[in-house]
Amino acid sequence: IGSEDTELTKSSSLNYDTEKAAAAVVPVVSRDPAVQQAMNRLVRVFDHVCEHGDPSASHYTMMMSTYLRLGHLDKVLDVYRTMTIDDRKPDATTCNVLIRTFVNAGHMKGAMQVYRSMKTGKRQPRP
């Protein structure tokens, strides 16, 4: 992070947008070997739970949220599709992760579709 960014974070008078900062940092952080190693371990644990256990909607949502934070939007949707195939019902947290995924990808129509499915009580949106 450059000195300009450091000054922005120190200044309380500026309206510093943390979402934009995170979006700028995520691609760099996700290439960090330590982050990649941790991500690989998390994927292995998730795969193990899926193969040998009975993953709940919370397991899937946690994995989706992790991929979202790392900027892997396509993987968020892959996990969601697997979740629905495995007949796990998305909850409000899952839907919020999907909405953020669509917004981050610039697909407002998809975000609105998920929102409408939440509003009508239909908890199985089709991304």
Side-chain angles (χ1 to χ4, degrees), residues 1 3 11 32:
I1 298 178
S3 62
S11 173
D32 182 289

Side-chain angles (χ1 to χ4, degrees), residues 36-50:
Q36 286 299 319
Q37 227 175 17
M39 189 66 201
N40 290 338
R41 280 191 299 246
L42 180 61
V43 169
R44 284 196 306 271
V45 168
F46 180 72
D47 288 345
H48 180 80
V49 169
C50 289

Side-chain angles (χ1 to χ4, degrees), residues 10-124:
K10 288 180 183 176
S11 173
S12 59
S13 64
L14 292 174
N15 184 6
Y16 190 66
D17 188 346
T18 55
E19 289 292 322
K20 288 181 182 176
V25 171
V26 163
V28 174
V29 170
S30 66
R31 288 189 297 250
D32 182 289
V35 172
Q36 286 299 319
Q37 227 175 17
M39 189 66 201
N40 290 338
R41 280 191 299 246
L42 180 61
V43 169
R44 284 196 306 271
V45 168
F46 180 72
D47 288 345
H48 180 80
V49 169
C50 289
E51 290 173 17
H52 302 292
D54 190 20
S56 67
S58 296
H59 288 105
Y60 288 98
T61 302
M62 181 177 52
M63 197 69 212
M64 290 167 59
S65 183
T66 300
Y67 279 133
L68 175 62
R69 285 188 189 121
L70 290 172
H72 300 296
L73 305 181
D74 55 333
K75 291 183 180 184
V76 173
L77 297 178
D78 289 344
V79 172
Y80 177 74
R81 285 184 194 101
T82 302
M83 177 184 178
T84 59
I85 289 168
D86 290 347
D87 202 29
R88 300 299 183 269
K89 304 296 181 222
D91 58 14
T93 304
T94 307
C95 292
N96 285 328
V97 170
L98 283 173
I99 289 169
R100 287 194 339 254
T101 299
F102 283 117
V103 168
N104 288 357
H107 296 293
M108 296 308 292
K109 190 174 182 177
M112 288 304 298
Q113 180 182 354
V114 175
Y115 173 75
R116 280 190 215 102
S117 75
M118 289 175 66
K119 198 171 173 183
T120 62
K122 180 184 168 201
R123 298 279 186 174
Q124 198 97 2

